[in-house]
Structure formats: structure tokens, C-alpha cells
Amino acid sequence: MKKYVDMHCDTLLCTITDGKDDMYSLPGGMLDIRRLKEAGALAQFFAIFFPAPSDELMKELDTDEKYFQALYHTFRNTLEKNSDLIRFAGNYEDVVRNEKDGRVSAFLTLEDGRMIQNDLARLQEFYQKGVRLITLTWNFENCFGYPNAKDPQLMNLGLKPFGKEAVEEMNRLGMLIDVSHLSDGGFYDVAKISKKPFVASHSNCRSLCPHQRNLTDDMIRVLAQKGGVAGLNIAGHFLNRDITDDHGRIESMVEHVLYMTKLGGEDFVAIGTDFDGVGGQLDIDEPGKLELLFEALKKAGFSERQLDKLAWGNAMRVIREAL
């Protein structure tokens, strides 16, 4: 099995719906610690994803803080209970050390930065808790800026003044900036301001699939020029020319990888599955099946060097440069 780094999953959310506080075994989910280890994972980014405030789960837990604490407890508890398999990582050196010790590395992220609440000091607080990446927005406006949208006026809006300050502070702290879900205007503001590589942790190519969550050709070139990466999303809605087609086909994944590599170079594409955050018919629905993608890319002409870069090298480079 080829080792790999996956820059995005929503598995922590599954633990709430399944009533668990440990990710070792989650039969109802796409990913768990047991399967990560069996699949040869080098590192997994675990997102604390914030649903809409109107979501029943958010109403049940009452506040963002209570929701965060519940998932944060599960993350820490998982590491404590499974210390022989997985260990926290906050930087490149941690991943190298963990691999040497036979452990998968676990990065903690926030998907939707609304808990930062216009307060730069909150970035420091979350950094100290172990957060190393923030997906600036999800599908709603927040203190950073605006989400991607079908409405061109909303899509063109850039970062708010606080969002611009926050990008600089995240650079200073050593925290990855993630533009998946961000408006196009916000993307270009991040590209202009950030002095370090940033990422689109789980976004594909808009030329091949016209979903507004995907990257335009120009964005791919700009992100590559900034030293960043895009993590390949496995979901049909982000792969197919018909965005209502929810079949995530391996041949479509290969098409996106080849196209983005052509535009951004072989140092550009990484893995960002979105496990447990997407549905539909999926050719890759658990970590062990990523090997099918690697085999298909090899048949399409990818060299071992290119496969290693896609699977783990490109993500590890950004981790080393940005954290």
C-alpha cells in the first residue's frame, strides 16, 4: 500500500451522530483509525465542521462552543486511547517522527472559521489547542468573508478587513489557510496577502465540473505559483460535468488529476477525499480503496515520482513550508 496524506475528512462529525467518543472503529462511516492504519496513511487531517446554525444538531448542542468542545474531546480521546496507532501532529517534524514510530499523524482543522469571532487572539487560542488549518468559510458569510455562490455578485466579494488581518496572523502563527468553500474574490485576496503557501484542501477543477466549489484554470495556476496544493475530492458532484450526477468515478478523478497537473505542475495536486462529508455512489468510499486511484493513475502514465508527490509529497511540502 502506498502511504498518503489526506487533507480533509468530516469523520469527527460522524462520532456525534453515532454516539461515540473514539474514532477507532466506525462501521457506519467511511473512515476510522483501524482502516487508516491498514491503508498505510501517513497523515489525516480531521475537520471540526460547523453545520448551519439552524441545523438540528447545532440546536441540540445549543452553542458553537459546546459543539466544538464535544468534537475536540473526541479528537483528543481518540489519540489517547489509540496512542499505539495514531498521534497528534502540529508540523512536518511531528509527521516524520510519528512515521518513524509507526504511527499515523493526526492534524486538527476547523471547517468554517466563524468561532474566531473577529478576534485575532482567538486564532492563537485555537493554535494552542492544536488547530493547524482553517477552512475560512463554509457555505455562509462569517468574520473572514463570503462563501462560494451561484450569485456572481456574492462570488466576487473579497475578504473582509478582519479576514485580511487574519491571513497575516495565520501566516505568523504557522496555520494553513484553506480556500475550499471561499468566494472567488476571497481566493484572490488570500493569494495577494499570504506570504506562505495556502491550500484548497478538498476542491477539484471547474473546467471539468462546473460546481462553484471547484477551482478555475486561473485559480489553479495562481495557487500553484504560490506553492499551494489542491486536494482531490472524491465526490461525483465535484467531479462530473453534470453536477447532479453523484457517482464519484475513478476515471473522473484521473481526468481531474491529469488536468490540474497539466495546469499547475506535478507539485500541485494532493489528496483531500472529503470522507464522511460526501455521499452518493463512490468508487472510493474508504481509505483502502485509494490504492485503486493510484493504480489507475499509473495506467494513465503517472510515474512513481509523480504518484508519490500526489499521494504524500506535495502535501508534506506545504506542511513543511507553512507550519
Side-chain angles (χ1 to χ4, degrees):
M1 302 291 282
K2 183 176 289 295
K3 67 181 180 181
Y4 70 91
V5 175
D6 181 0
M7 299 191 73
H8 187 79
C9 77
D10 288 305
T11 305
L12 280 166
L13 179 62
C14 290
T15 62
I16 286 190
T17 55
D18 289 357
K20 295 197 174 186
D21 64 355
D22 176 10
M23 291 186 285
Y24 173 74
S25 179
L26 297 169
M30 298 180 188
L31 178 155
D32 53 34
I33 307 309
R34 177 184 59 79
R35 282 180 281 177
L36 276 181
K37 183 65 177 174
E38 290 173 355
L42 177 61
Q44 178 67 54
F45 283 62
F46 291 95
I48 294 182
F49 157 67
F50 289 87
S54 59
D55 188 277
E56 287 303 316
L57 180 59
M58 296 307 298
K59 290 178 180 178
E60 181 182 331
L61 288 168
D62 189 36
T63 66
D64 282 353
E65 183 64 35
K66 288 180 181 177
Y67 174 84
F68 172 83
Q69 290 299 337
L71 293 187
Y72 184 67
H73 165 75
T74 298
F75 179 77
R76 302 306 310 189
N77 189 54
T78 296
L79 298 183
E80 184 178 336
K81 284 189 172 183
N82 303 282
S83 58
D84 57 329
L85 301 175
I86 192 164
R87 187 185 288 160
F88 172 78
N91 56 37
Y92 178 87
E93 290 75 18
D94 286 347
V95 181
V96 173
R97 187 182 310 113
N98 292 345
E99 182 185 21
K100 185 179 178 182
D101 293 342
R103 270 77 167 182
V104 179
S105 285
F107 284 94
L108 182 63
T109 82
L110 300 181
E111 187 172 18
D112 188 342
R114 71 194 195 212
M115 276 196 75
I116 304 303
Q117 299 170 345
N118 281 296
D119 185 354
L120 292 179
R122 297 275 286 173
L123 287 171
Q124 177 77 52
E125 290 173 23
F126 281 105
Y127 183 88
Q128 290 173 346
K129 288 179 185 293
V131 172
R132 290 297 182 272
L133 175 150
I134 297 179
T135 308
L136 299 187
T137 62
W138 186 53
N139 290 348
F140 303 97
E141 175 186 350
N142 65 16
C143 57
F144 287 89
Y146 304 87
N148 57 69
K150 293 178 181 177
D151 179 352
Q153 286 187 309
L154 183 59
M155 190 62 138
N156 290 329
L157 291 174
L159 295 178
K160 294 180 178 180
F162 174 79
K164 295 177 180 179
E165 288 184 81
V167 166
E168 294 180 339
E169 178 65 3
M170 290 171 73
N171 278 176
R172 187 190 72 79
L173 287 170
M175 189 181 281
L176 270 168
I177 298 153
D178 180 15
V179 297
S180 284
H181 290 282
L182 189 63
S183 66
D184 288 1
F187 172 95
Y188 285 108
D189 279 344
V190 170
K192 187 185 303 180
I193 297 165
S194 182
K195 300 295 191 293
K196 292 184 178 181
F198 61 99
V199 302
S201 68
H202 54 298
S203 295
N204 297 335
C205 174
R206 207 179 294 178
S207 285
L208 299 181
C209 171
H211 198 290
Q212 68 271 12
R213 274 265 286 99
N214 286 335
L215 301 166
T216 67
D217 288 5
D218 186 63
M219 287 176 172
I220 290 170
R221 294 188 187 97
V222 169
L223 183 53
Q225 288 165 6
K226 294 289 291 189
V229 298
L232 179 74
N233 191 309
I234 60 168
H237 294 308
F238 307 119
L239 288 168
N240 298 319
R241 285 173 171 79
D242 174 4
I243 64 172
T244 66
D245 180 357
D246 67 1
H247 187 174
R249 300 172 181 85
I250 288 175
E251 54 264 36
S252 298
M253 298 177 205
V254 169
E255 187 180 13
H256 278 261
V257 169
L258 294 177
Y259 190 92
M260 290 194 286
T261 298
K262 182 179 178 181
L263 288 180
E266 65 181 39
D267 296 328
F268 178 68
V269 189
I271 302 293
T273 61
D274 213 355
F275 280 146
D276 291 313
V278 292
Q281 184 180 350
L282 302 170
D283 285 2
I284 296 175
D285 57 5
E286 63 177 6
K289 292 185 181 179
L290 280 167
E291 197 68 25
L292 299 174
L293 172 62
F294 304 146
E295 290 170 3
L297 282 165
K298 189 180 294 187
K299 288 179 181 176
F302 252 42
S303 67
E304 281 299 326
R305 183 194 71 252
Q306 290 173 312
L307 283 172
D308 283 344
K309 286 187 173 187
L310 168 83
W312 59 273
N314 294 340
M316 284 291 283
R317 175 185 55 76
V318 169
I319 289 167
R320 185 179 66 245
E321 293 176 2
L323 302 187

